[in-house]
Each structure stands twice: as structure tokens, then as C-alpha cells.
Amino acid sequence: MDYRHLGRSGLIVSEIAYGNWITHGSQVEEDAALACVAAALDEGITTFDTADVYAGTRAETVLGKALHGVKRESVEIFTKVYWPTGRGPNERGLSRKHIIESANASLRRLQTDHIDLYQAHRYDHETPLEETMRAFDDLVRQGKVLYIGVSEWRAEEIAAALKIAADLGLDRIVSNQPQYNMIWRVIEAEIVPLCEQEGIGQIVWSPIAQGVLTGKYLPGAAPPAGSRATDEHGSGFISRLMNEDILARVQLLKPVAAYVGLTLAQLAVAWTLQNPNVAAAIVGATKPEQVRENVKASGVRLDAAVLKQIDEILGNLVVTDPQLTASPRTRN
Ligand SMILES: NC(=O)c1ccc[n+]([C@@H]2O[C@H](COP(=O)([O-])OP(=O)(O)OC[C@H]3O[C@@H](n4cnc5c(N)ncnc54)[C@H](OP(=O)(O)O)[C@@H]3O)[C@@H](O)[C@H]2O)c1
């Protein structure tokens, strides 16, 4: 496993991180979740990503259990706040009240006294940004949070947060967590240039497009049993990628992967890591074998000819519009 700095910060992360959205506390049984985390640790993954909202807070509990007894200094635990964790109007968003309450609840579930990276899971249009930045800063001063980041914020929202931090002497964000893979490249036009300049690293999600870039979903065929596309919660999220054109083009990538000696999943993860602004690719997995396969993307260098072939095959399926990065206008 290779390791990278998270942006310009002193924090080092494993360039392949493990995340438990949809899986822990939901799609997979607890023993499979624990086995995936054990495989991740065994393969040199030190960075683990979760969120208060995943599986109605159960994902954090499972991750806390899986990491219990592991030397705290040997792992980086990332979690998030914004999406609803309860029915109340204050159990969501980035108000001071919810940030502080949710951070304390995450610490309890994760069985730790500090969160390595605390991320705003979306931009909250209903809360003044200064209130959010001050609340994050307070958590840092209290030692409950070591670094702060955001997820799916637009370039101008990131720039506004940096300005407030600079003006008020608050802790500044070190990371952004966007969706990024061979198909979804909307961060490249505006977010990556700003973040490169400002020393902010990307920790990218769905590097394998939720499993679609493994090539296991065949055009015209039923999805394999037990896959995300068959899961009660997962199927809704993956559905926009399950169109015949995408599935057919992914099959055409197979010879490219074979040419460089990789599986399609490994090629997909390695592709995201070619971008030097990416600090880590967060992979999900329902089985330890998937973790063991995906980590082999670490350290892979893809040459320009291979990248060009991928672009030619995917062609007009590649999404680049920066306007597609957006947070809900309201918290409900
Ligand atoms: N910030 C955000 O808004 C946000 C949003 C989404 C995700 N995330 C983060 O990113 C993490 C990863 O997202 P993701 O789960 O969508 O990532 P992904 O790595 O693109 O997809 C993971 C899924 O693909 C399948 N898969 C993975 N490796 C495979 C392999 N080698 N062979 C066959 N199938 C394989 C598995 O599902 P099946 O076995 O069920 O098919 C696995 O659960 C999340 O856990 C979370 O931490 C963040």
C-alpha cells in the first residue's frame, strides 16, 4: 500500500481507503463487515470512512466494533455530518447545535475520543457558513476532531469557507470528498484547480462506480445475486448507472485492463489515483476478496496511451459539467 498526504496537511492516508456506505449495518451481515475491515487492515489500509447517516447510524457502530482493539494511532477514522440522523428539524444540517451533538454521538458509536477527519457531508444553504466553520473549529480546539473537510461542495463554497477561516483565524479545511471515477469527472474543471492551489486533497468516493466498473453487470442480463443492484437500499443509488450503453462500454474496457495486467476494478481505482490532487480513493466492499482485489491498484501507474484508450472507449458517457456538484437547497 502506498500512502499520501491529505492535501497540504501533515496527515498521511492510505491511498486506498475503505468506506462502509450501504454495506455495514445494512446490505451485509456483521461478520462480513468485520471480515472486510480485517482484510483492509491486513492489506495496509489505514484510512476508514463512514458517516453518521449511514444505515441510520448503524454503520458507525459496526465500524467502531470492527476497529475496537486496533491501535488508535495506526488508523485514521473519517466521518461526516449533515444528512438527517433523526426526525427533528435540528437533527440535520450544519448548525452549531447539530454539528456538536452529532460529533459527540459519532464519537460514542465509533468508540473513540477523537475523529481524525470530520467532514461536512453537503453544503447547508440554511446555516450561515461562519456558524458552521466556528462549530468545526471549536471541535478542533476541544481535541475531538483533528482535521476538517467537506464533501460535494462547489468550488465557490470551498473558496468561501477558506476565506472565513483566514479572516477569523479558524482551522481551515484540508479535504473534499467528491464522487470521482472514469465516468463521473465533474470535479476536474473547477474544484481540482482550486484545491491544488489551496492545498486541499480529494478523497474520492465510488471509484468503481458502485461496482459498475468491475464489468460484472452485463448488458441485457439480470444483475448477479447479492450485488448492490439487487439490494433493497443500494439498487436505487446504482440505478442511474445501470443503462445498457454504460454496461456495454464497460465491457469494452476489459481488454485495456487485461493489457496492463489488472482487473477492471483495479483499473478503475488506479485511474482515480492518477490524478495527483487525489489523496485517496475510498472503495466499498461486501466481501473481503473484493478488498484484497481492489488494493492491488495501489502504486499502479497508467501511461498516457492507456488513459487515452479509456477516454476513447467511454467517449460521450463521460460526465464533466461542474454545475452537477450541488447540495440540496433545503435540509429536508
Ligand atoms: N461523501 C459522499 O456523499 C459519499 C457518497 C457515497 C459513498 N461515499 C463513500 O465512498 C465509499 C465507497 O463508495 P462505494 O461503495 O459506492 O464505492 P465503490 O468502490 O465504487 O463500490 C463498492 C461496491 O462495488 C462492489 N465491488 C467492489 N469491489 C468489487 C470487486 N472487486 N468485484 C466485484 N464487485 C465489487 C461491491 O458491491 P456489491 O458486492 O454489493 O456489488 C461494493 O460494495 C463509501 O463507503 C463511503 O465511505 C461517500
Side-chain angles (χ1 to χ4, degrees):
M1 176 62 61
D2 286 355
Y3 301 84
R4 300 184 182 195
H5 273 273
L6 183 53
R8 213 184 283 146
S9 80
L11 185 69
I12 306 269
V13 297
S14 51
E15 66 177 13
I16 296 177
Y18 178 71
N20 71 357
W21 175 55
I22 293 181
T23 54
H24 295 188
S26 169
Q27 186 187 351
V28 300
E29 298 297 332
E30 193 167 301
D31 53 352
L34 301 188
C36 285
V37 172
L41 290 166
D42 192 41
E43 294 288 347
I45 290 180
T46 58
T47 305
F48 293 86
D49 184 75
T50 186
D52 55 356
V53 68
Y54 293 169
T57 72
R58 289 186 304 278
E60 283 188 334
T61 304
V62 175
L63 186 62
K65 192 168 173 187
L67 293 177
H68 187 69
V70 173
K71 187 180 177 197
R72 184 64 186 85
E73 294 81 355
S74 69
V75 289
E76 304 83 50
I77 301 177
F78 295 2
T79 192
K80 318 184 194 79
V81 57
Y82 168 86
W83 294 106
T85 50
R87 292 208 185 135
N90 281 316
E91 293 176 276
R92 59 196 65 203
L94 299 178
S95 67
R96 165 176 289 276
K97 179 171 169 63
H98 185 55
I99 287 175
I100 303 296
E101 288 174 347
S102 197
N104 285 324
S106 290
L107 288 169
R108 282 194 294 275
R109 288 188 291 265
L110 289 164
Q111 303 184 45
T112 181
D113 61 3
H114 64 280
I115 294 162
D116 293 287
L117 179 74
Y118 201 40
Q119 303 157 101
H121 211 156
R122 290 294 181 273
Y123 187 84
D124 182 357
H125 292 280
E126 292 189 44
T127 300
L129 187 50
E130 185 178 322
E131 176 178 335
T132 297
M133 298 308 291
R134 281 193 187 277
F136 273 134
D137 188 70
D138 286 346
L139 287 170
V140 173
R141 310 266 155 218
Q142 290 165 12
K144 292 182 175 180
V145 163
L146 305 191
Y147 297 89
I148 55 172
V150 298
S151 173
E152 293 292 346
W153 282 29
R154 294 167 67 90
E156 61 267 29
E157 293 161 351
I158 294 172
L162 292 174
K163 181 166 187 328
I164 287 176
D167 289 351
L168 302 180
L170 305 176
D171 210 58
R172 88 202 284 274
I173 56 178
V174 298
S175 64
N176 177 44
Q177 187 177 131
Q179 181 177 185
Y180 187 54
N181 55 52
M182 288 180 196
I183 298 173
W184 192 262
R185 307 186 193 179
V186 305
I187 59 171
E188 289 180 352
E190 294 179 0
I191 288 171
V192 168
L194 171 76
C195 290
E196 275 178 334
Q197 187 187 313
E198 296 291 344
I200 292 170
Q202 311 297 325
I203 312 158
V204 305
W205 60 267
S206 293
I208 315 172
Q210 303 194 46
V212 166
L213 290 171
T214 64
K216 71 179 175 182
Y217 296 110
L218 300 172
S227 61
R228 185 173 293 183
T230 64
D231 178 63
E232 134 184 48
H233 303 291
S235 57
F237 289 102
I238 201 174
S239 59
R240 73 178 165 77
L241 292 159
M242 297 289 290
N243 79 56
E244 298 293 297
D245 201 10
I246 292 181
L247 301 187
R249 292 272 196 115
V250 170
Q251 293 304 311
L252 300 178
L253 292 171
K254 274 191 177 155
V256 181
Y259 174 73
V260 289
L262 300 175
T263 66
L264 261 182
Q266 291 161 349
L267 180 73
V269 177
W271 183 92
T272 66
L273 294 172
Q274 305 309 297
N275 184 328
N277 190 225
V278 171
I282 319 170
V283 299
T286 55
K287 302 178 184 75
E289 306 85 85
Q290 294 175 347
V291 177
R292 295 196 188 277
E293 177 183 339
N294 301 346
V295 293
K296 296 197 178 67
S298 176
V300 169
R301 293 290 160 261
L302 300 173
D303 66 33
V306 170
L307 297 175
K308 188 162 171 261
Q309 257 185 305
I310 292 170
D311 290 349
E312 281 166 6
I313 290 168
L314 294 176
N316 63 356
L317 292 182
V318 172
V319 184
T320 57
D321 181 0
Q323 297 306 320
L324 292 172
T325 295
S327 297
R329 295 309 301 178
T330 69
R331 287 187 210 153
N332 299 319

